[in-house]
Amino acid sequence: MLKKILITTVYSILFNFVQVFAQSLKLSSIVKDAVSNEPLVGVSIWIDGTSIGTITDNLGYFSIQYDESNSFMLIISSVGYKNKKLESNEIGDIIYLEPETLTLDELVVTALGLERDSKDLGYAIQRIDAQGINQVQAGNFTDNLAGKFAGVTVSQGATGIGSTSKITIRGESSFTNNNPLFVVDGIPINNATNVNFTNDAAAGFQEIDFGNGAMDVNAENIENISVLKGPAAAALYGTRAANGVIVITTKNGSDQLNSEKLGIQFSSNTSFESAFQLPEFQNKYGQGNSGNFAFINGLGAGVNDNISYSWGPLLNSGIFTTQFDSPVQLSDGRTFRGGDVSVHGGATITPTELKSYPNNLADFYQIGSTKTNALAFSREFKNGNSRVALSEMQSEAIIPGVNLNRRSVSTKLNLKPSNKLSINSSLNYIYSESDNRPSNGYGSENVNYALVAWGPRSLNINALKDYWQPGLEGVQQYSFNYTYFDNPYFTLLENQNSFTRNRFFAMISAKYAITNQLNLQIRSGMDYLNEDRKFRRAFSSNRFVNGAYANQKIDFRENNTDMLLYYSLEKRKFGIDISLGANRMDQYFSSLQIQTLRLAQAGIFSLSNAASPIESFENTSKKRINSVYALSKLSFENWFFVDLTARNDWSSALTNPISADNSRFFYPSVSASFILSEKFKLPKMVSFAKIRANWAQVGNDTEPYQTSGVFIAQTPVNGLPTFSGQNSIPNPHIKPEKTSSFEIGADLRFLENRLRFDVTYYLAKTENQIISLPVAISSGYSQRVINGGLVTSRGIELIAEISPIRKPNLTWDVQFNFSENVAIVESLPSEIERLTLAYSRIYDNVNQTVWYQVAEGDRLGDMYGTGYKRNDKGDFIVDANGLYIADNTLKKLGNYNPDFILVTSNEIQYKNFTFGFLIDWRYGGILISRTRALATVAGQLKETENRPESGIIAEGVVNIGTNENPIWQTNSKAISAESYYRMKFDRNHEENNTYDATYLKLREMHIGYSIKKASFLISGQEIKLSIYGRNLWAWSKIPHFDPEQLAVQGNQFVSGVEDMSYATSRSIGVQVKFDF
Amino acid sequence: MIKLYTWIVLLISVLGCTTDFEDINTNPNAPVDVQPALLLRKVIYDYAENMSYEGFVAGNLLSQHFTMIDFNLFDRHNLSSPQYGGNPWPILYKNLRDISLITDYSNENPTYEVYKGPSFILKALISSTLTDIYGDVPFSEATKGLEGNINPKYDSQEAIYLGEHGIIALLNHGIEALENYTGGIQLQGDLLFSGDLDAWVRFANSLKIKALVRISAKSDVSNELQGIYNSGKYMKSNSQNAVFQFSAGQPNNFRMANLRIGDVNLFVMSQTAFEIFDEWNDPRIALFYRPLSTDNNQFNGLLNGPDASSTSISVSDYSLTGIVFRENAAELKANIMTAWETQFLLAEAAERRLISGNAKDLYESGVKLAFEYWKTEMPANYLNSGKAAFAKIGENPIEQIITQKWIANTINGYESWIEYRRTRFPKLKTVSASLNNNLIPVRMPYPADEEALNKVNYEEAKTATNGNSVNAKVWWQD
């Protein structure tokens, strides 16, 4: 690097020297702020295509020498101002630079890749530029969107970089599908999460999260992101846009100011991650039950050594007992550990002191790191421009053995071979791989099961690092308990779930100007994904005594081809644009998992090493949607705009074996904007005022194969096949869903755009929802596909942008994003009083279930569960034994949706320094925690620290009257502390394991320094250094984990439930950027 | 412009073309039609596998063969909170659904006529399991989701047994269909009898004997019982049993063999079981239970339903599950109906004078068959002296019959509990930390799914069971 700087420096000195002696003239001028008329200091000026340049002095004055023989272009640029290009003959005494405001007249990409001036749109659209996305990088691109847009919520995945982040726009209004559509350079890309095949029971493989599709997007390549929030904005992307669209535009080769010069951008990020929030434990009592513990074999031979509750003896009190890490001295002189049971064969263990390990979980998590390097070359040439970008990411998670590596190459080529024809293409290839993705969900494959829920407080975690019993490497693990759990290091380092993924998405489009008014565009794009996953389980795993192995292969392909005919006409005050288009989408998905649940030889993970019959699970699906559409934009003068759209889709998924009649659906939209500030003369303080309104419909289809029934292969018996009817009742007459929305908004800017408000109110009705509803199994089926229900969702979005300071050397911009969304169920399918939409259940256990139910008038997201009986005053009823009485009727526990979300971001620029931060406030909603249930029942959490000898009196009342005429008296009967806590937080009753999910979070912060003037830099070149942090601080009422949670259960992600989650990570990083 | 218009029309007609949509939307992964043999094999296996596991992890707690030392709200008789098994409802209904598909095939296609009898018999079997466990359940309207009924009403147990299409009628029609079958097509997928239709008739008659004895307090069943007894067409030897032999390894082995060792070691010998085996001096104790690790001849049981939060239990002090349920699980069979169970039922019928027959002979034959079934040698004087000697002074013959059946039904815990509810034998113990006011439950509560998903009908059934109480007697119980 140093060498390069030296060369550059020497080069530029020599170059300037030569310039001085060339026959040259001098040009001078003063640069001023166009608004304040103040002179601007430190503005860069240079001659296009050369390295000749200078900067303005204290008075804004500059002079530059040039060769008289050529006319040339001068480029003037300064941070916080718009760049200016001027011909040499246009240079006057004063050059005015327009301050760069955040949003004035920005171009946004709307449906079909059409660039539009945001000011004439009749719907809400919010855009951020590259800087806002990659200033503070997250390993999962989706996380970068958190807090940046009003109405957009992102829930981070639980297993670090590489896990699924769930994104929703304007809350959830559909019973089933609330995923927005991702579009890169005009082509839809897949954002699905594909979970492996699992087994509900405590045997078989657990769920593994391999991440969501959009995480593959390389943030460094992004030019800008526009979020189209409502159906109006999205009507022309088709059915999948009903939940909003995230439109990503990647960088072109024409970004750099020096045209026809090779531009080089390089950025390097290194960040370090640490566990963000860990449970608060009690550290007084150790492993055991009723105060007793002694380890013999971890299977029950010792006192309570078959379980790992922390209801054991008082720690650090001088008690000596046998433990798994206590020494065993054999008569032949060899020494083993107590837990080396298979080796020492039950020899006497020497007792050691029972100590507390308050940091055992903290010690388990490591410092993670993520290194990202991105290099891009760009060039503008006569008939176009091109860009090639390479990037590499290497990430080690805070969870030992968990990693993610990603390499990508992207190219962009824009050609204009003639005045009439332009050709654009974009290609992205991404390769990702991981040695291990940890298991989520409830069960022994998730290390939190052994570490948090059932990890005793006397557990010396470091003693577990050497996880084989000596001499039995590869065959028998060493652990603190052999009944239910695996040594967490053994789980993470031996029982790995690895994957490799090839992802390719690309588009090519050609645009031809048939006449001045008529254009034709043809475009084709593809998203392709191929993933190979391997699940390895070593011998002595609790679930697989003889190991196991599974291989899952996933293929996904989506092709989109469209054409658009565009006609534009302007006559006097009227303008009209009409476009007609058509699209064909073809989707193909296939997943094949082959597995054996028993291996012949330890350590060989191959299907040919199977010792039990090989099982396979295959799933293939296809879908096609044909569409035709028309849109027209009408404008009157420069203050009134109307957009009309209409689209007709034909979806194969709505076809039944007999007819395709239901497959067609049509949806229109109309939107209008009225720019008051252009039409009327408004007070000077108003710089821009617009009101907008729109009405739109979007139709929606469903997953393939919902219209007819099939038979499903079941466990073969003695090698012979078996089949069962499907558990879902198909619906051959399924109709498309319909969402109608109305939206009204205003965009108001004051004081030269230093104050801006954008407010939107929307009301959307979703009817004929296609729902796969749980039904009573006594009907013979567990699910049925129906059309039904009407949900209205209404909400407010408010964006406020304030620039309190805007001086040449100091700027401060503040942005607030406020959003509120409530979805109410207006009606339910025929005569159903209350509808169960879904449930979150563990071990297929009916009583350990959180039910997502709605009744008419209820809010979507209500959760139900069970609790303990209360009297009419709401006090818990206590029985004669001092215990609560289980109440197994379902009661409403709360709603998982927040009441509102308020995010503020601040950007401050002082000379070459930049500073910014983003704070998220989510108010309302509840979270049901399984970790809390389990880890309190097991005596691990802080809640259980108080254990008086005299016992605990459960708060509640006793009935001393009769059942008919109860007389309530405060309970006075004490029960043992252990009985009390185990009862109170019993996992069968969710009520006492519910938290308020409100939180305040410092999500991002960054400090940067930019070098533009240095002897080794030529004009237009820049070096930027910054330090940034993510997830730095949070406040919530939840003591044990990050309040942002996403749980995975039974192959799906569920909201409002926390289940054995890993710690999320706090990251602090350094970024270096070169722009040459 | 006209040219353009033509192009647009052409384009729309191409895109609007949906001729290959049916093709695209045809599921390539699974058949829309199967041979009934594939369903029959599934139903038999699924019922056998699931109910053996259920019978072990939940039934055996109710019948007090085993107790659970932790995660045992079920064992403490909070039956709504099972941790392992304890929810046979969905298993039974899914199989009833598949059986009705078999029946449909046999009705629609003459080639499949041979499946009609077995489908009736299996429906009777599974329906009786359901109603015996829960009482009134959806029956006449059950498994009709495809026809649009997703909220089936509950039928009374009396109607389920004795109704026009009830259990007894199903068995009669099943036998009739088998006996009248003249077709040449063999029954396929028959894991129980390899297509032997006579064996199915014996199986149906054995089930009928069980059903009749079960409802004998409420209905005069003696004529029918006598008729079957006289016909001799019921299970008489172990080779005629309806059983499924588990395999040594996955995927067709006994589920306890695959569970984590910690899950298995939660189950220890019940004090009730210990006392019975001890008093009866029954060698099968060594089969079903593991001797203490400290002494190979010693067994020890624990009173059911301990409160793990107030007791410190060391599993090494108690007998764990026998190796036949894990290490030697390849020896194990799922028993659906057996000759010994039939003999015991007939012995009881004879003892109660419902049939004219020799109760002692029937009992002794049952005991011998049960020893043979469990591959244990019966001690020479087992039937002559000691507790097992039939009608010995001081012994209640009914108690002896039921207790012998209880012993042999170790993997079939629900059946032992059902018979306890009917006969009060063997005498079970009050559990140590009862969550049901020290009462032994006499039915399983309806699962929460029904409350959530079949609400209107559930509410009616709830009222009929005193609020879905586990202490509400079912119809056949005296």
Side-chain angles (χ1 to χ4, degrees), chain A residues 54 71 112 119 171 174 340 367 424 455 561 571 590 609 721 795 820 959 982 1053:
Chain A
T54 182
S71 80
L112 306 168
K119 74 171 196 236
S174 167
D340 291 328
I367 298 292
N424 301 309
T561 300
K571 268 208 173 135
S590 109
N609 190 35
E820 191 187 85
N959 184 4
R982 288 184 61 164
F1053 288 88

Coordinates of all heavy atoms in Angstrom, one line a residue, chain A residues 54 71 112 119 171 174 340 367 424 455 561 571 590 609 721 795 820 959 982 1053:
Chain A
T54 N -7.3 21.7 -7.8 CA -6.9 22.5 -6.7 C -8.1 22.6 -5.8 O -9.1 21.9 -6.0 CB -6.5 23.9 -7.2 OG1 -6.1 24.7 -6.1 CG2 -7.7 24.6 -7.9
S71 N -10.6 23.1 -25.1 CA -11.7 23.4 -24.2 C -11.9 22.2 -23.2 O -11.6 21.1 -23.6 CB -13.0 23.7 -24.9 OG -13.6 22.5 -25.3
L112 N -41.2 -1.8 -12.4 CA -40.7 -2.0 -13.7 C -39.4 -1.3 -14.0 O -39.1 -1.1 -15.2 CB -41.8 -1.7 -14.8 CG -43.1 -2.4 -14.6 CD1 -44.2 -1.8 -15.4 CD2 -43.0 -3.9 -14.8
K119 N -41.2 13.6 -6.6 CA -42.2 14.6 -6.2 C -43.5 14.4 -6.9 O -44.5 14.9 -6.5 CB -41.6 16.0 -6.5 CG -41.5 16.4 -8.0 CD -41.2 17.8 -8.2 CE -41.5 18.3 -9.6 NZ -40.4 18.9 -10.3
G171 N -46.4 -3.8 8.9 CA -46.9 -4.8 9.8 C -47.5 -6.0 9.1 O -47.2 -6.2 7.9
S174 N -51.8 -10.1 6.5 CA -52.2 -11.4 5.9 C -52.1 -12.4 7.0 O -51.2 -12.3 7.9 CB -51.3 -11.8 4.8 OG -51.5 -13.1 4.4
D340 N -15.0 -39.2 32.7 CA -14.5 -40.2 31.7 C -15.0 -41.6 32.1 O -14.2 -42.6 32.3 CB -13.0 -40.2 31.7 CG -12.4 -38.9 31.1 OD1 -13.0 -38.4 30.2 OD2 -11.3 -38.5 31.6
I367 N -15.2 -14.1 21.2 CA -15.2 -12.9 20.4 C -15.3 -13.3 18.9 O -14.4 -14.0 18.4 CB -13.9 -12.0 20.6 CG1 -13.8 -11.6 22.1 CG2 -13.9 -10.8 19.7 CD1 -14.9 -10.6 22.5
N424 N -28.6 -2.9 -21.1 CA -28.1 -2.9 -19.7 C -28.0 -4.3 -19.2 O -28.9 -5.1 -19.5 CB -29.0 -2.1 -18.8 CG -29.1 -0.7 -19.2 OD1 -28.1 0.0 -19.5 ND2 -30.4 -0.3 -19.4
G455 N -28.1 -25.9 32.1 CA -26.7 -25.8 32.5 C -26.5 -25.4 33.9 O -26.8 -24.3 34.3
T561 N -39.4 -12.8 -17.6 CA -39.1 -12.2 -18.9 C -40.3 -11.2 -19.1 O -41.4 -11.5 -18.9 CB -39.1 -13.2 -20.0 OG1 -38.0 -14.1 -19.8 CG2 -38.8 -12.5 -21.4
K571 N -48.3 17.8 -24.8 CA -49.0 18.8 -25.6 C -49.4 19.9 -24.7 O -50.1 19.7 -23.8 CB -50.2 18.2 -26.3 CG -49.8 17.6 -27.6 CD -51.0 17.6 -28.6 CE -50.6 17.2 -30.0 NZ -51.4 16.3 -30.6
S590 N -36.8 -27.4 -5.7 CA -36.7 -28.8 -5.3 C -35.8 -29.0 -4.1 O -34.9 -28.3 -3.9 CB -36.3 -29.6 -6.5 OG -35.0 -30.1 -6.3
N609 N -22.1 -45.4 4.5 CA -21.7 -45.9 5.8 C -23.0 -46.1 6.6 O -22.9 -46.1 7.9 CB -20.8 -44.9 6.4 CG -20.1 -45.4 7.7 OD1 -19.9 -46.6 7.8 ND2 -19.9 -44.5 8.7
P721 N -43.2 -50.1 1.3 CA -43.7 -48.7 1.3 C -45.0 -48.6 2.1 O -45.8 -49.6 2.1 CB -43.9 -48.3 -0.1 CG -44.1 -49.6 -0.8 CD -43.3 -50.6 -0.1
G795 N -52.8 2.4 9.4 CA -51.6 2.8 10.1 C -51.2 4.2 9.7 O -51.7 4.8 8.7
E820 N -47.0 3.2 13.0 CA -48.0 2.6 13.8 C -48.9 1.8 12.9 O -49.3 2.3 11.9 CB -48.8 3.7 14.5 CG -49.8 3.3 15.6 CD -50.6 4.5 16.0 OE1 -51.6 4.7 15.4 OE2 -50.2 5.1 17.0
N959 N -59.6 -20.1 49.5 CA -61.0 -20.1 49.7 C -61.4 -20.8 51.0 O -61.2 -22.0 51.2 CB -61.8 -20.7 48.6 CG -63.3 -20.6 48.7 OD1 -63.8 -19.9 49.6 ND2 -64.0 -21.2 47.8
R982 N -40.8 -24.0 40.6 CA -41.2 -24.9 39.6 C -42.6 -24.8 39.2 O -43.0 -25.0 38.0 CB -40.8 -26.3 40.0 CG -39.3 -26.6 40.0 CD -38.9 -28.0 40.4 NE -39.5 -28.9 39.4 CZ -39.0 -30.2 39.3 NH1 -38.1 -30.6 40.1 NH2 -39.6 -31.0 38.5
F1053 N -40.9 -19.9 11.2 CA -40.5 -18.9 12.1 C -41.7 -18.3 12.8 O -42.8 -18.1 12.1 CB -39.8 -17.8 11.3 CG -38.4 -18.2 10.9 CD1 -38.2 -18.8 9.7 CD2 -37.4 -18.1 11.8 CE1 -37.0 -19.3 9.4 CE2 -36.1 -18.5 11.5 CZ -35.9 -19.2 10.3

